[in-house]
Amino acid sequence: MNWLKEKKLSEKTKQSEWKKVNWRSPSNIALIKYWGKNGKQLPMNPSISFSLSKSYTDTTVYYKKKERQEKEIDFKYLFEAKENPDFSNRINIYLQSLLKDFPFLPYYRLRIESRNSFPHSAGIASSASSMSALALCLCSLERELTGISNQLDFFRKASNVARLGSGSASRSVYGGFNAWGEHSVLKELNNYYAIPLSENIHKIFQNLQDSILIIDKGQKKISSSYGHRLMENHPHRIQRIKEANSHFLQMWEVLKCGGFERFAAIVEAESFAIHNLMESSEPSFSLLKPETYKVISKIESFRNQNKLPLCFTLDAGPNVHLIYPLEIKKEIVNFIESELVEFCSNGFWIDDNMGNGPIRL
Ligand code: DP6
């Protein structure tokens, strides 16, 4: 009998036994990029991102006390209603690594169901939204079982636990702008959990849009984890740490004082920085496609002609994120439809924007 049938049966017969916690958690787009790590998922440099609104993961964790006490973690995992051995494997390793943080795990049977708002084949990394949604569920589960209820600690722990699953996921547990990693500009900044940067953000950045141009829908051939690993002995490692720290400080100031031109220059320099690092790694690799360069060149010409506040950023893949304030949305959508969709895979792009962070469902 599969667990869903088993659950239905048990819900019918012993209604009260299976309980659940569920969270919707967003993806995020980094402006200052995390690229390279130390030790156990600690970033080589500080990063800044903003949480998205329409690209998210919904995760439900069903739990039920085991009748007999066993040492093993008993869980089943369904992604988009199907078993997925690769994800299941990753979650198994992840849950095992969290036994110290959540010592109750072996005492419960867990059934985890997860689905993304964006198509699996959109070439969008889902680790930030999926690992943050799972981390939030685990923290809620802890709260249900132990009654611990400090709101600040809750999100800090969720961010810390999400980081252990995927570094960028640490920045998805809050809405708006978030920063993760030590920097001397603020003592609260640390390598373990992200903090929200919600105060004193200049109005031009308060409603940022992110139109994600899907250049390639395929699964990435090279994982971010592999790219991070190559930074350990990268010939430009020291230089990169200096550059990221300097960009971080400049972005910190720009977000407060305004100035889209300066913002755009930092965001675009960061995008090229990580792709240059990939190309100068040993062994070197590139994730960009000819269409990525064509789209970037179109964006630059359009910006020069129209003097509008827009810029692009790139993640660890060929897709282009177009970032701009809500006020110029109409012009940008026209521009995308008339000049950029032809470079997108099947004309596909995602109309996203800055969001308010995770919600408990
Ligand atoms: C380019 O968070 O996906 O998106 O910690 O190994 O899971 P792991 O890596 P991941 O790396 C994201 C890299 C990036 C930049 C960023 O989001 O800051």
Side-chain angles (χ1 to χ4, degrees):
M1 185 158 45
N2 76 25
W3 79 266
L4 266 177
K5 278 191 196 146
E6 196 185 335
K7 181 164 72 66
K8 273 191 195 142
L9 193 74
S10 99
E11 269 169 5
K12 245 198 217 153
T13 50
K14 301 175 190 167
Q15 205 84 30
S16 59
E17 283 199 1
W18 281 100
K19 294 190 177 152
K20 66 176 183 185
V21 283
N22 49 1
W23 279 89
R24 169 171 296 174
S25 191
S27 183
N28 68 71
I29 178 69
L31 304 172
I32 305 299
K33 309 286 184 186
Y34 145 57
W35 198 243
K37 44 184 148 180
N38 299 313
K40 217 175 158 198
Q41 290 283 101
L42 300 172
M44 196 182 88
N45 62 266
S47 56
I48 296 183
S49 62
F50 67 84
S51 293
L52 297 178
S53 161
K54 294 171 194 150
S55 306
Y56 57 77
T57 300
D58 282 346
T59 296
T60 305
V61 175
Y62 295 90
Y63 63 102
K64 176 168 125 163
K65 187 120 195 181
K66 283 181 186 168
E67 274 122 46
R68 274 185 303 122
Q69 198 177 313
E70 301 149 22
K71 282 202 191 106
E72 287 76 42
I73 297 181
D74 169 353
F75 82 101
K76 279 207 174 113
Y77 178 74
L78 293 187
F79 177 67
E80 321 232 290
K82 287 196 202 87
E83 294 201 6
N84 184 315
D86 286 350
F87 289 179
S88 225
N89 234 353
R90 189 169 169 188
I91 287 179
N92 186 25
I93 296 168
Y94 179 56
L95 293 178
Q96 297 293 345
S97 76
L98 293 178
L99 277 171
K100 273 208 183 108
D101 301 276
F102 300 115
F104 57 83
L105 284 176
Y107 297 92
Y108 287 83
R109 297 176 68 195
L110 305 174
R111 304 293 180 253
I112 305 169
E113 291 183 3
S114 201
R115 57 178 67 245
N116 294 338
S117 64
F118 44 90
H120 184 47
S121 57
I124 299 186
S126 61
S127 62
S129 54
S130 60
M131 296 318 281
S132 57
L134 180 55
L136 285 157
C137 286
L138 292 172
C139 290
S140 281
L141 182 50
E142 177 182 51
R143 184 185 272 192
E144 308 265 304
L145 300 175
T146 66
I148 297 168
S149 67
N150 179 321
Q151 197 70 2
L152 186 64
D153 287 350
F154 178 87
F155 285 102
R156 284 184 178 171
K157 179 157 185 178
S159 174
N160 186 28
V161 169
R163 168 185 63 83
L164 295 166
S166 176
S168 54
S170 67
R171 299 182 311 235
S172 273
V173 305
Y174 316 101
F177 291 98
N178 297 292
W180 168 47
E182 266 170 33
H183 193 287
S184 54
V185 73
L186 188 77
K187 70 173 182 343
E188 278 81 10
L189 286 164
N190 72 89
N191 289 339
Y192 297 93
Y193 56 83
I195 61 166
L197 303 181
S198 43
E199 275 164 38
N200 304 326
I201 297 290
H202 189 275
K203 68 174 183 331
I204 190 146
F205 304 122
Q206 281 176 12
N207 258 321
L208 285 183
Q209 306 296 296
D210 179 4
S211 298
I212 312 169
L213 306 165
I214 307 299
I215 303 295
D216 188 358
K217 287 186 172 179
Q219 190 92 27
K220 276 194 291 183
K221 286 186 190 67
I222 308 254
S223 70
S224 299
S225 298
Y226 176 75
H228 288 296
R229 223 174 304 134
L230 291 178
M231 287 309 295
E232 283 167 23
N233 298 312
H234 198 288
H236 305 147
R237 180 183 161 93
I238 305 289
Q239 190 48 37
R240 168 61 189 156
I241 296 173
K242 271 196 197 141
E243 171 191 59
N245 275 276
S246 153
H247 281 159
F248 184 96
L249 182 59
Q250 293 175 51
M251 180 57 74
W252 184 268
E253 281 158 5
V254 166
L255 288 179
K256 291 191 173 124
C257 305
F260 204 96
E261 249 180 73
R262 188 72 211 119
F263 172 86
I266 305 166
V267 169
E268 293 178 4
E270 274 293 298
S271 305
F272 286 131
I274 61 161
H275 285 275
N276 288 340
L277 287 166
M278 293 175 209
E279 284 171 23
S280 54
S281 313
E282 288 162 10
S284 82
F285 65 100
S286 172
L287 298 176
L288 302 183
K289 297 262 150 106
E291 289 78 7
T292 312
Y293 291 105
K294 286 182 190 150
V295 164
I296 289 175
S297 149
K298 289 267 179 193
I299 295 169
E300 286 167 348
S301 315
F302 178 83
R303 181 168 58 196
N304 286 342
Q305 272 165 23
N306 297 284
K307 310 279 175 255
L308 287 173
L310 82 147
C311 64
F312 64 84
T313 186
L314 306 164
D315 251 343
N319 299 333
V320 181
H321 293 245
L322 206 47
I323 312 287
Y324 54 93
L326 177 64
E327 289 67 34
I328 59 162
K329 178 139 199 162
K330 215 169 132 209
E331 290 92 319
I332 301 300
V333 171
N334 279 341
F335 167 51
I336 294 173
E337 296 290 351
S338 60
E339 294 194 47
L340 302 181
V341 280
E342 63 181 287
F343 303 107
C344 298
S345 173
N346 297 329
F348 186 54
W349 64 283
I350 297 175
D351 175 20
D352 214 333
N353 54 272
M354 185 182 285
N356 297 327
I359 43 174
R360 180 131 188 217
L361 298 167

